[in-house]
Amino acid sequence: MSNEIYNLLDYVKPIPKIGQKLIKKYFPGALTLVLEKSDKTKDYITSNKNTVGIRVPNNEFFEKLCSMIDGGVLATTSANISGEAPALTYEEALNYIGDKVDLVIPDYGCVAKGKASTVVGFKEGEVIVL
């Protein structure tokens, strides 16, 4: 399991074995795992749902930012409105959610790879692409 994931483990219930394999292969990267949240994850983070998405982006700025945060974990939203195409640039993210969040961070030279995250969940030991 990648070092970056260890900071997230307190916020989710145990990760299924298949999820651990995905983490080893795709973190950091464009993969979001939807997992059952632990009691440490607050309801306002998950809109009162019992699951939370975790991701470790492959982005130098994000890595540096998280290293400055106590605990190394940052709660964020997707940079698009549910059902809409993903924001792949800073300008698109600002357009979609700029008036709905406290901060949209410019790329500062660490441009996203232009790939939306694949979102997966798990049911009875199987991976489900959401």
Side-chain angles (χ1 to χ4, degrees):
M1 202 173 302
S2 67
N3 290 335
E4 296 91 348
I5 191 66
Y6 287 108
N7 294 333
L8 296 170
L9 293 179
D10 286 344
Y11 297 92
V12 296
K13 292 197 174 171
I15 300 171
K17 292 252 188 256
I18 188 72
Q20 293 174 28
K21 288 180 182 179
L22 290 173
I23 288 169
K24 286 179 185 175
K25 186 169 182 176
Y26 297 108
F27 275 22
L31 176 68
T32 300
L33 301 181
V34 177
L35 300 164
E36 198 172 345
K37 71 178 184 178
S38 74
D39 291 338
K40 188 170 182 176
T41 301
K42 305 297 182 198
D43 286 338
Y44 68 87
I45 296 291
T46 64
S47 298
N48 294 313
K49 295 183 177 160
N50 67 343
T51 58
V52 64
I54 62 169
R55 180 177 179 203
V56 179
N58 187 11
N59 182 283
E60 185 180 338
F61 179 80
F62 176 81
E63 185 179 331
K64 287 179 183 178
L65 179 62
C66 285
S67 73
M68 294 184 263
I69 298 169
D70 186 31
V73 174
L74 182 64
T76 67
T77 184
S78 297
N80 65 296
I81 305 301
S82 184
E84 297 291 327
L88 300 178
T89 65
Y90 168 74
E91 289 78 18
E92 288 176 358
L94 198 59
N95 213 18
Y96 275 142
I97 63 169
D99 62 342
K100 296 170 181 59
V101 297
D102 294 329
L103 177 66
V104 177
I105 299 173
D107 59 45
Y108 293 110
C110 299
V111 180
K113 308 252 184 313
K115 292 170 64 177
S117 180
T118 299
V119 181
V120 300
F122 305 93
K123 186 174 183 176
E124 299 173 9
E126 297 291 321
V127 176
I128 300 167
V129 176
L130 304 171

